[in-house]
Amino acid sequence: MSFTSEVKNEVSKLETLAIENVTELSALLRNISTIEANRIHITTENASVARRIFNLLKQKYKVTSKVTVRRGYNFNKNYIYILELKYKVDSIINDLSLKEDIPKSYLYDDDSLKRAYIRGIFLACGSINDPKKSRYHLEFLIDTKSYAIFLQKLFNSFDLNSKIIRRETKYMLYLKEAEKIGDFLRIIGATNSLFYYEDIRIYRDHKNMTNRLNNCEQANVDKMIETATRQVQDIELLEEEKAFSLLDDKVKEVAIYRKKYPEASLLELSEIISLETGTMITKSGLYHRMNKIKHLANKVRENKKNK
């Protein structure tokens, strides 16, 4: 079962207020129903969603929908659940604002109703990636631009930072930020799915941080080895060109220890010299003396080039 189906199954079992159920039904039927010949046809591939619509309609309008189950025509050949309403059609259409592109404001005029509408939209046409298997992504395929903009404003009233892009003849409303998708699951009441999602997100974030730290550490090691190699090359050049004697005694001492411990970092080398000579030298002091070796080596190279 996909993560989308798991979330929809959980949300479909929520106990909600009667006033919220009207708003949720409005969002559901606006997106997965058609009206023709004084009948309403509702189509979904999720059995839990079909069951919820059936029960909400029965509770609110005291009508029983005719349910038909068919095998789909897609590659997975999922079942398709079709609910047909023949009674109180006009009342349902008016109450749920089904003939308007943008629903009437009484359906979403406070935060609890906004959450109910968002919940209904997800049950109707939402799709969310499993955080364990792929990138973070939540999307809704919407039929008109004006309705997509309405939904974007509704979502962003909860600071979800949703975006819209054109997809063929429709519009896709989507969220890509991991934290915002977690907030979305909290808004629609998918508590168990939220716990699963956050556990995976924390694990992935920790893993990514560990990888970044390891990469950073490796980069620092590579840089240290590269620097130490250049320092040894500078010292060997001075020895070859008979310029080593130009260094003062303290710098010569550093040069001898650098050749003796070519893989040591400056901090490690300063500790080794301090321990073995009994004279304290800091990393900063060691760096200063290494710079003197570098500058003298560069002068020797320049002289060789000009000869």
Side-chain angles (χ1 to χ4, degrees):
M1 182 183 296
S2 69
F3 185 53
T4 297
S5 296
E6 290 178 2
V7 179
K8 289 185 178 183
N9 289 347
E10 179 183 359
V11 173
S12 295
K13 295 177 175 63
L14 291 176
E15 293 291 334
T16 49
L17 299 175
I19 189 171
E20 294 175 355
N21 294 341
V22 174
T23 295
E24 185 180 322
L25 272 173
S26 174
L28 277 161
L29 270 60
R30 162 66 177 77
N31 290 277
I32 58 172
S33 72
T34 57
I35 302 170
E36 54 185 35
N38 205 34
R39 295 184 183 186
I40 300 175
H41 295 268
I42 305 157
T43 306
T44 178
E45 291 185 2
N46 188 290
S48 295
V49 173
R51 191 179 301 113
R52 183 169 181 85
I53 294 172
F54 181 92
N55 290 331
L56 292 182
L57 286 169
K58 190 173 183 179
Q59 291 170 16
K60 171 62 181 175
Y61 298 103
K62 312 301 180 187
V63 294
T64 300
S65 310
K66 177 184 176 182
V67 180
T68 305
V69 181
R70 294 179 182 171
R71 178 74 75 172
Y73 297 103
N74 57 14
F75 291 111
N76 294 325
K77 296 185 177 178
N78 293 330
Y79 287 107
I80 295 175
Y81 302 87
I82 303 171
L83 283 69
E84 184 180 4
L85 279 173
K86 299 180 181 178
Y87 307 103
K88 299 185 179 180
V89 172
D90 290 338
S91 176
I92 293 171
I93 290 173
N94 290 332
D95 279 0
L96 304 185
S97 190
L98 296 182
K99 287 192 174 180
E100 284 82 17
D101 186 37
I102 308 301
K104 294 176 181 176
S105 60
Y106 67 81
L107 290 165
Y108 56 91
D109 59 5
D110 63 32
D111 282 351
S112 64
L113 293 182
K114 288 178 181 178
R115 289 188 179 93
Y117 200 92
I118 291 172
R119 184 168 62 244
I121 285 293
F122 178 75
L123 291 175
C125 59
S127 176
I128 182 171
N129 285 355
D130 189 333
K132 185 185 291 184
K133 298 178 181 178
S134 55
R135 68 191 189 284
Y136 302 115
H137 186 75
L138 169 65
E139 70 175 42
F140 306 81
L141 203 57
I142 309 302
D143 56 359
T144 69
K145 183 177 181 180
S146 57
Y147 188 53
I149 292 172
F150 160 74
L151 291 176
Q152 183 184 36
K153 291 178 180 177
L154 195 67
F155 279 40
N156 291 351
S157 67
F158 293 100
D159 194 30
L160 292 177
N161 196 27
S162 61
K163 305 289 179 59
I164 299 173
I165 61 170
R166 181 78 179 266
R167 178 178 283 183
E168 297 179 351
T169 60
K170 296 190 176 184
Y171 297 85
M172 186 175 77
L173 180 71
Y174 68 93
L175 283 71
K176 280 191 174 295
E177 298 172 61
E179 291 185 5
K180 301 301 183 183
I181 295 174
D183 290 342
F184 176 87
L185 292 173
R186 190 178 297 108
I187 287 167
I188 65 173
T191 305
N192 293 333
S193 299
L194 174 62
F195 288 156
Y196 167 84
Y197 177 88
E198 290 294 350
D199 283 346
I200 300 299
R201 186 173 74 84
I202 291 169
Y203 168 77
R204 286 181 63 175
D205 287 351
H206 177 73
K207 184 178 179 181
N208 289 338
M209 183 182 297
T210 301
N211 288 338
R212 286 195 295 271
L213 289 173
N214 288 339
N215 291 338
C216 183
E217 183 179 348
Q218 184 59 48
N220 288 336
V221 170
D222 292 343
K223 184 178 179 180
M224 179 195 71
I225 293 174
E226 183 181 348
T227 300
T229 300
R230 286 199 304 267
Q231 290 168 350
V232 171
Q233 289 171 349
D234 287 344
I235 296 166
E236 290 175 344
L237 174 66
L238 295 179
E239 291 173 338
E240 291 170 4
E241 298 298 322
K242 311 301 182 186
F244 190 75
S245 60
L246 297 175
L247 300 172
D248 62 45
D249 291 342
K250 290 183 179 180
V251 180
K252 286 179 183 176
E253 182 180 60
V254 166
I256 292 168
Y257 272 96
R258 168 47 83 200
K259 288 191 68 179
K260 187 177 178 181
Y261 300 99
E263 295 180 357
S265 67
L266 283 183
L267 179 60
E268 291 168 342
L269 193 59
S270 68
E271 292 173 350
I272 291 170
I273 295 173
S274 298
L275 182 64
E276 293 191 6
T277 65
T279 303
M280 181 67 181
I281 181 170
T282 64
K283 178 183 174 182
S284 176
L286 186 60
Y287 177 79
H288 180 68
R289 295 180 192 181
M290 285 295 185
N291 263 346
K292 289 185 176 181
I293 295 172
K294 177 182 176 181
H295 291 151
L296 182 57
N298 286 339
K299 287 182 179 179
V300 171
R301 289 190 183 95
E302 190 66 28
N303 290 336
K304 285 181 65 178
K305 191 184 296 184
N306 294 332
K307 284 182 179 180

mmCIF file of all heavy atoms in Angstrom, residues 205-238:
data_model
loop_
_atom_site.group_PDB
_atom_site.id
_atom_site.type_symbol
_atom_site.label_atom_id
_atom_site.label_comp_id
_atom_site.label_asym_id
_atom_site.label_seq_id
_atom_site.Cartn_x
_atom_site.Cartn_y
_atom_site.Cartn_z
ATOM 1 N N ASP A 205 17.626 13.448 7.951
ATOM 2 C CA ASP A 205 18.370 14.679 8.249
ATOM 3 C C ASP A 205 19.651 14.365 9.012
ATOM 4 O O ASP A 205 20.709 14.948 8.746
ATOM 5 C CB ASP A 205 17.499 15.640 9.055
ATOM 6 C CG ASP A 205 16.404 16.280 8.216
ATOM 7 O OD1 ASP A 205 16.439 16.110 6.986
ATOM 8 O OD2 ASP A 205 15.520 16.933 8.793
ATOM 9 N N HIS A 206 19.534 13.432 9.974
ATOM 10 C CA HIS A 206 20.716 13.044 10.754
ATOM 11 C C HIS A 206 21.749 12.368 9.859
ATOM 12 O O HIS A 206 22.950 12.652 9.959
ATOM 13 C CB HIS A 206 20.303 12.100 11.886
ATOM 14 C CG HIS A 206 21.456 11.597 12.705
ATOM 15 N ND1 HIS A 206 22.145 12.386 13.597
ATOM 16 C CD2 HIS A 206 22.056 10.373 12.740
ATOM 17 C CE1 HIS A 206 23.104 11.685 14.162
ATOM 18 N NE2 HIS A 206 23.085 10.458 13.662
ATOM 19 N N LYS A 207 21.263 11.500 8.976
ATOM 20 C CA LYS A 207 22.159 10.802 8.048
ATOM 21 C C LYS A 207 22.853 11.790 7.120
ATOM 22 O O LYS A 207 24.060 11.692 6.863
ATOM 23 C CB LYS A 207 21.369 9.775 7.239
ATOM 24 C CG LYS A 207 22.219 8.922 6.304
ATOM 25 C CD LYS A 207 21.361 7.893 5.584
ATOM 26 C CE LYS A 207 22.201 7.061 4.621
ATOM 27 N NZ LYS A 207 21.365 6.062 3.903
ATOM 28 N N ASN A 208 22.091 12.745 6.595
ATOM 29 C CA ASN A 208 22.667 13.751 5.701
ATOM 30 C C ASN A 208 23.693 14.620 6.427
ATOM 31 O O ASN A 208 24.742 14.971 5.863
ATOM 32 C CB ASN A 208 21.558 14.639 5.123
ATOM 33 C CG ASN A 208 20.692 13.898 4.124
ATOM 34 O OD1 ASN A 208 21.113 12.889 3.560
ATOM 35 N ND2 ASN A 208 19.482 14.372 3.914
ATOM 36 N N MET A 209 23.392 14.965 7.676
ATOM 37 C CA MET A 209 24.328 15.770 8.457
ATOM 38 C C MET A 209 25.619 14.996 8.710
ATOM 39 O O MET A 209 26.720 15.553 8.603
ATOM 40 C CB MET A 209 23.695 16.178 9.794
ATOM 41 C CG MET A 209 24.595 17.081 10.638
ATOM 42 S SD MET A 209 23.846 17.492 12.231
ATOM 43 C CE MET A 209 22.393 18.398 11.688
ATOM 44 N N THR A 210 25.470 13.696 9.024
ATOM 45 C CA THR A 210 26.651 12.862 9.247
ATOM 46 C C THR A 210 27.502 12.777 7.986
ATOM 47 O O THR A 210 28.733 12.874 8.043
ATOM 48 C CB THR A 210 26.224 11.444 9.676
ATOM 49 O OG1 THR A 210 25.450 11.519 10.877
ATOM 50 C CG2 THR A 210 27.441 10.558 9.933
ATOM 51 N N ASN A 211 26.835 12.610 6.844
ATOM 52 C CA ASN A 211 27.571 12.550 5.573
ATOM 53 C C ASN A 211 28.299 13.857 5.293
ATOM 54 O O ASN A 211 29.443 13.858 4.825
ATOM 55 C CB ASN A 211 26.611 12.236 4.424
ATOM 56 C CG ASN A 211 26.125 10.798 4.458
ATOM 57 O OD1 ASN A 211 26.764 9.937 5.053
ATOM 58 N ND2 ASN A 211 24.995 10.526 3.821
ATOM 59 N N ARG A 212 27.612 14.985 5.572
ATOM 60 C CA ARG A 212 28.245 16.293 5.346
ATOM 61 C C ARG A 212 29.457 16.477 6.257
ATOM 62 O O ARG A 212 30.496 16.995 5.834
ATOM 63 C CB ARG A 212 27.236 17.419 5.570
ATOM 64 C CG ARG A 212 26.212 17.569 4.450
ATOM 65 C CD ARG A 212 25.488 18.895 4.552
ATOM 66 N NE ARG A 212 24.688 18.978 5.750
ATOM 67 C CZ ARG A 212 23.430 18.587 5.837
ATOM 68 N NH1 ARG A 212 22.830 18.066 4.784
ATOM 69 N NH2 ARG A 212 22.748 18.712 6.971
ATOM 70 N N LEU A 213 29.314 16.046 7.516
ATOM 71 C CA LEU A 213 30.434 16.162 8.452
ATOM 72 C C LEU A 213 31.598 15.281 8.031
ATOM 73 O O LEU A 213 32.762 15.690 8.112
ATOM 74 C CB LEU A 213 29.979 15.784 9.869
ATOM 75 C CG LEU A 213 29.039 16.773 10.569
ATOM 76 C CD1 LEU A 213 28.542 16.205 11.885
ATOM 77 C CD2 LEU A 213 29.745 18.106 10.804
ATOM 78 N N ASN A 214 31.264 14.059 7.566
ATOM 79 C CA ASN A 214 32.316 13.159 7.092
ATOM 80 C C ASN A 214 33.024 13.730 5.875
ATOM 81 O O ASN A 214 34.258 13.656 5.763
ATOM 82 C CB ASN A 214 31.730 11.778 6.754
ATOM 83 C CG ASN A 214 31.343 11.002 7.999
ATOM 84 O OD1 ASN A 214 31.838 11.274 9.092
ATOM 85 N ND2 ASN A 214 30.459 10.031 7.849
ATOM 86 N N ASN A 215 32.235 14.298 4.970
ATOM 87 C CA ASN A 215 32.826 14.903 3.766
ATOM 88 C C ASN A 215 33.705 16.099 4.133
ATOM 89 O O ASN A 215 34.774 16.304 3.553
ATOM 90 C CB ASN A 215 31.731 15.347 2.804
ATOM 91 C CG ASN A 215 30.992 14.165 2.192
ATOM 92 O OD1 ASN A 215 31.521 13.055 2.147
ATOM 93 N ND2 ASN A 215 29.778 14.391 1.718
ATOM 94 N N CYS A 216 33.211 16.877 5.107
ATOM 95 C CA CYS A 216 33.974 18.046 5.554
ATOM 96 C C CYS A 216 35.275 17.609 6.218
ATOM 97 O O CYS A 216 36.338 18.188 5.984
ATOM 98 C CB CYS A 216 33.130 18.866 6.520
ATOM 99 S SG CYS A 216 33.919 20.378 7.088
ATOM 100 N N GLU A 217 35.170 16.559 7.041
ATOM 101 C CA GLU A 217 36.357 16.047 7.726
ATOM 102 C C GLU A 217 37.376 15.522 6.727
ATOM 103 O O GLU A 217 38.576 15.771 6.843
ATOM 104 C CB GLU A 217 35.959 14.938 8.710
ATOM 105 C CG GLU A 217 37.124 14.388 9.519
ATOM 106 C CD GLU A 217 36.676 13.317 10.501
ATOM 107 O OE1 GLU A 217 35.463 13.169 10.710
ATOM 108 O OE2 GLU A 217 37.556 12.628 11.050
ATOM 109 N N GLN A 218 36.876 14.795 5.704
ATOM 110 C CA GLN A 218 37.772 14.253 4.684
ATOM 111 C C GLN A 218 38.436 15.391 3.904
ATOM 112 O O GLN A 218 39.628 15.330 3.583
ATOM 113 C CB GLN A 218 36.992 13.348 3.723
ATOM 114 C CG GLN A 218 37.861 12.665 2.676
ATOM 115 C CD GLN A 218 38.946 11.802 3.275
ATOM 116 O OE1 GLN A 218 38.688 11.003 4.164
ATOM 117 N NE2 GLN A 218 40.181 11.969 2.800
ATOM 118 N N ALA A 219 37.646 16.435 3.621
ATOM 119 C CA ALA A 219 38.205 17.586 2.899
ATOM 120 C C ALA A 219 39.300 18.262 3.726
ATOM 121 O O ALA A 219 40.331 18.683 3.189
ATOM 122 C CB ALA A 219 37.095 18.583 2.577
ATOM 123 N N ASN A 220 39.075 18.342 5.043
ATOM 124 C CA ASN A 220 40.081 18.940 5.922
ATOM 125 C C ASN A 220 41.357 18.093 5.970
ATOM 126 O O ASN A 220 42.469 18.629 5.995
ATOM 127 C CB ASN A 220 39.527 19.103 7.336
ATOM 128 C CG ASN A 220 38.494 20.217 7.424
ATOM 129 O OD1 ASN A 220 38.502 21.127 6.599
ATOM 130 N ND2 ASN A 220 37.617 20.144 8.402
ATOM 131 N N VAL A 221 41.172 16.757 5.993
ATOM 132 C CA VAL A 221 42.334 15.855 5.995
ATOM 133 C C VAL A 221 43.121 16.014 4.703
ATOM 134 O O VAL A 221 44.362 16.105 4.701
ATOM 135 C CB VAL A 221 41.884 14.392 6.183
ATOM 136 C CG1 VAL A 221 43.053 13.428 5.936
ATOM 137 C CG2 VAL A 221 41.317 14.179 7.580
ATOM 138 N N ASP A 222 42.391 16.048 3.574
ATOM 139 C CA ASP A 222 43.058 16.214 2.264
ATOM 140 C C ASP A 222 43.833 17.531 2.215
ATOM 141 O O ASP A 222 44.958 17.586 1.688
ATOM 142 C CB ASP A 222 42.022 16.180 1.142
ATOM 143 C CG ASP A 222 41.378 14.794 0.988
ATOM 144 O OD1 ASP A 222 41.959 13.823 1.518
ATOM 145 O OD2 ASP A 222 40.323 14.701 0.353
ATOM 146 N N LYS A 223 43.197 18.587 2.741
ATOM 147 C CA LYS A 223 43.843 19.907 2.737
ATOM 148 C C LYS A 223 45.093 19.900 3.623
ATOM 149 O O LYS A 223 46.134 20.473 3.259
ATOM 150 C CB LYS A 223 42.849 20.956 3.234
ATOM 151 C CG LYS A 223 43.382 22.376 3.182
ATOM 152 C CD LYS A 223 42.325 23.361 3.652
ATOM 153 C CE LYS A 223 42.864 24.792 3.618
ATOM 154 N NZ LYS A 223 41.837 25.763 4.082
ATOM 155 N N MET A 224 44.993 19.225 4.785
ATOM 156 C CA MET A 224 46.129 19.146 5.701
ATOM 157 C C MET A 224 47.302 18.406 5.058
ATOM 158 O O MET A 224 48.453 18.850 5.124
ATOM 159 C CB MET A 224 45.704 18.429 6.984
ATOM 160 C CG MET A 224 46.805 18.260 8.025
ATOM 161 S SD MET A 224 46.347 17.049 9.274
ATOM 162 C CE MET A 224 46.455 15.532 8.317
ATOM 163 N N ILE A 225 46.994 17.267 4.389
ATOM 164 C CA ILE A 225 48.038 16.484 3.734
ATOM 165 C C ILE A 225 48.693 17.283 2.607
ATOM 166 O O ILE A 225 49.919 17.282 2.436
ATOM 167 C CB ILE A 225 47.460 15.155 3.201
ATOM 168 C CG1 ILE A 225 47.043 14.266 4.381
ATOM 169 C CG2 ILE A 225 48.467 14.438 2.310
ATOM 170 C CD1 ILE A 225 46.323 13.009 3.972
ATOM 171 N N GLU A 226 47.860 17.994 1.846
ATOM 172 C CA GLU A 226 48.369 18.808 0.740
ATOM 173 C C GLU A 226 49.300 19.909 1.265
ATOM 174 O O GLU A 226 50.377 20.157 0.698
ATOM 175 C CB GLU A 226 47.197 19.425 -0.020
ATOM 176 C CG GLU A 226 47.607 20.234 -1.230
ATOM 177 C CD GLU A 226 46.411 20.854 -1.940
ATOM 178 O OE1 GLU A 226 45.266 20.473 -1.615
ATOM 179 O OE2 GLU A 226 46.630 21.721 -2.800
ATOM 180 N N THR A 227 48.897 20.558 2.359
ATOM 181 C CA THR A 227 49.723 21.625 2.951
ATOM 182 C C THR A 227 51.043 21.071 3.480
ATOM 183 O O THR A 227 52.118 21.647 3.243
ATOM 184 C CB THR A 227 48.951 22.307 4.097
ATOM 185 O OG1 THR A 227 47.747 22.869 3.577
ATOM 186 C CG2 THR A 227 49.788 23.406 4.741
ATOM 187 N N ALA A 228 50.953 19.937 4.200
ATOM 188 C CA ALA A 228 52.166 19.325 4.754
ATOM 189 C C ALA A 228 53.121 18.897 3.646
ATOM 190 O O ALA A 228 54.345 19.052 3.766
ATOM 191 C CB ALA A 228 51.784 18.132 5.620
ATOM 192 N N THR A 229 52.577 18.382 2.541
ATOM 193 C CA THR A 229 53.409 17.956 1.412
ATOM 194 C C THR A 229 54.158 19.140 0.818
ATOM 195 O O THR A 229 55.355 19.050 0.505
ATOM 196 C CB THR A 229 52.537 17.288 0.332
ATOM 197 O OG1 THR A 229 51.879 16.142 0.901
ATOM 198 C CG2 THR A 229 53.384 16.848 -0.862
ATOM 199 N N ARG A 230 53.453 20.279 0.660
ATOM 200 C CA ARG A 230 54.105 21.485 0.125
ATOM 201 C C ARG A 230 55.205 21.972 1.065
ATOM 202 O O ARG A 230 56.263 22.424 0.629
ATOM 203 C CB ARG A 230 53.078 22.590 -0.105
ATOM 204 C CG ARG A 230 52.176 22.364 -1.314
ATOM 205 C CD ARG A 230 51.516 23.676 -1.747
ATOM 206 N NE ARG A 230 50.768 24.286 -0.654
ATOM 207 C CZ ARG A 230 49.464 24.076 -0.437
ATOM 208 N NH1 ARG A 230 48.793 23.260 -1.240
ATOM 209 N NH2 ARG A 230 48.859 24.673 0.564
ATOM 210 N N GLN A 231 54.947 21.875 2.359
ATOM 211 C CA GLN A 231 55.949 22.318 3.329
ATOM 212 C C GLN A 231 57.219 21.452 3.248
ATOM 213 O O GLN A 231 58.336 21.980 3.291
ATOM 214 C CB GLN A 231 55.360 22.269 4.741
ATOM 215 C CG GLN A 231 54.292 23.344 4.980
ATOM 216 C CD GLN A 231 53.509 23.121 6.262
ATOM 217 O OE1 GLN A 231 53.621 22.067 6.892
ATOM 218 N NE2 GLN A 231 52.722 24.118 6.646
ATOM 219 N N VAL A 232 57.045 20.138 3.134
ATOM 220 C CA VAL A 232 58.197 19.229 3.008
ATOM 221 C C VAL A 232 58.965 19.531 1.721
ATOM 222 O O VAL A 232 60.207 19.547 1.694
ATOM 223 C CB VAL A 232 57.739 17.759 3.050
ATOM 224 C CG1 VAL A 232 58.902 16.821 2.693
ATOM 225 C CG2 VAL A 232 57.180 17.405 4.427
ATOM 226 N N GLN A 233 58.212 19.802 0.631
ATOM 227 C CA GLN A 233 58.862 20.132 -0.649
ATOM 228 C C GLN A 233 59.670 21.427 -0.536
ATOM 229 O O GLN A 233 60.774 21.540 -1.102
ATOM 230 C CB GLN A 233 57.798 20.263 -1.742
ATOM 231 C CG GLN A 233 57.168 18.936 -2.140
ATOM 232 C CD GLN A 233 55.974 19.113 -3.067
ATOM 233 O OE1 GLN A 233 55.473 20.227 -3.268
ATOM 234 N NE2 GLN A 233 55.511 18.008 -3.650
ATOM 235 N N ASP A 234 59.131 22.409 0.199
ATOM 236 C CA ASP A 234 59.872 23.668 0.405
ATOM 237 C C ASP A 234 61.179 23.412 1.165
ATOM 238 O O ASP A 234 62.237 23.956 0.813
ATOM 239 C CB ASP A 234 59.012 24.665 1.183
ATOM 240 C CG ASP A 234 57.887 25.244 0.346
ATOM 241 O OD1 ASP A 234 57.944 25.122 -0.894
ATOM 242 O OD2 ASP A 234 56.939 25.813 0.929
ATOM 243 N N ILE A 235 61.098 22.588 2.206
ATOM 244 C CA ILE A 235 62.284 22.283 3.011
ATOM 245 C C ILE A 235 63.331 21.549 2.179
ATOM 246 O O ILE A 235 64.532 21.874 2.223
ATOM 247 C CB ILE A 235 61.886 21.452 4.250
ATOM 248 C CG1 ILE A 235 60.976 22.276 5.170
ATOM 249 C CG2 ILE A 235 63.117 20.964 4.999
ATOM 250 C CD1 ILE A 235 60.259 21.467 6.228
ATOM 251 N N GLU A 236 62.885 20.563 1.391
ATOM 252 C CA GLU A 236 63.819 19.801 0.549
ATOM 253 C C GLU A 236 64.465 20.689 -0.504
ATOM 254 O O GLU A 236 65.658 20.532 -0.836
ATOM 255 C CB GLU A 236 63.083 18.630 -0.103
ATOM 256 C CG GLU A 236 62.697 17.541 0.894
ATOM 257 C CD GLU A 236 61.866 16.437 0.256
ATOM 258 O OE1 GLU A 236 61.333 16.666 -0.859
ATOM 259 O OE2 GLU A 236 61.730 15.374 0.885
ATOM 260 N N LEU A 237 63.715 21.666 -1.017
ATOM 261 C CA LEU A 237 64.279 22.607 -1.990
ATOM 262 C C LEU A 237 65.397 23.436 -1.357
ATOM 263 O O LEU A 237 66.462 23.632 -1.963
ATOM 264 C CB LEU A 237 63.182 23.521 -2.535
ATOM 265 C CG LEU A 237 63.651 24.647 -3.462
ATOM 266 C CD1 LEU A 237 64.212 24.065 -4.768
ATOM 267 C CD2 LEU A 237 62.518 25.618 -3.769
ATOM 268 N N LEU A 238 65.126 23.925 -0.142
ATOM 269 C CA LEU A 238 66.147 24.721 0.548
ATOM 270 C C LEU A 238 67.405 23.888 0.805
ATOM 271 O O LEU A 238 68.533 24.399 0.710
ATOM 272 C CB LEU A 238 65.589 25.257 1.871
ATOM 273 C CG LEU A 238 64.423 26.264 1.757
ATOM 274 C CD1 LEU A 238 63.959 26.691 3.146
ATOM 275 C CD2 LEU A 238 64.837 27.490 0.946
#
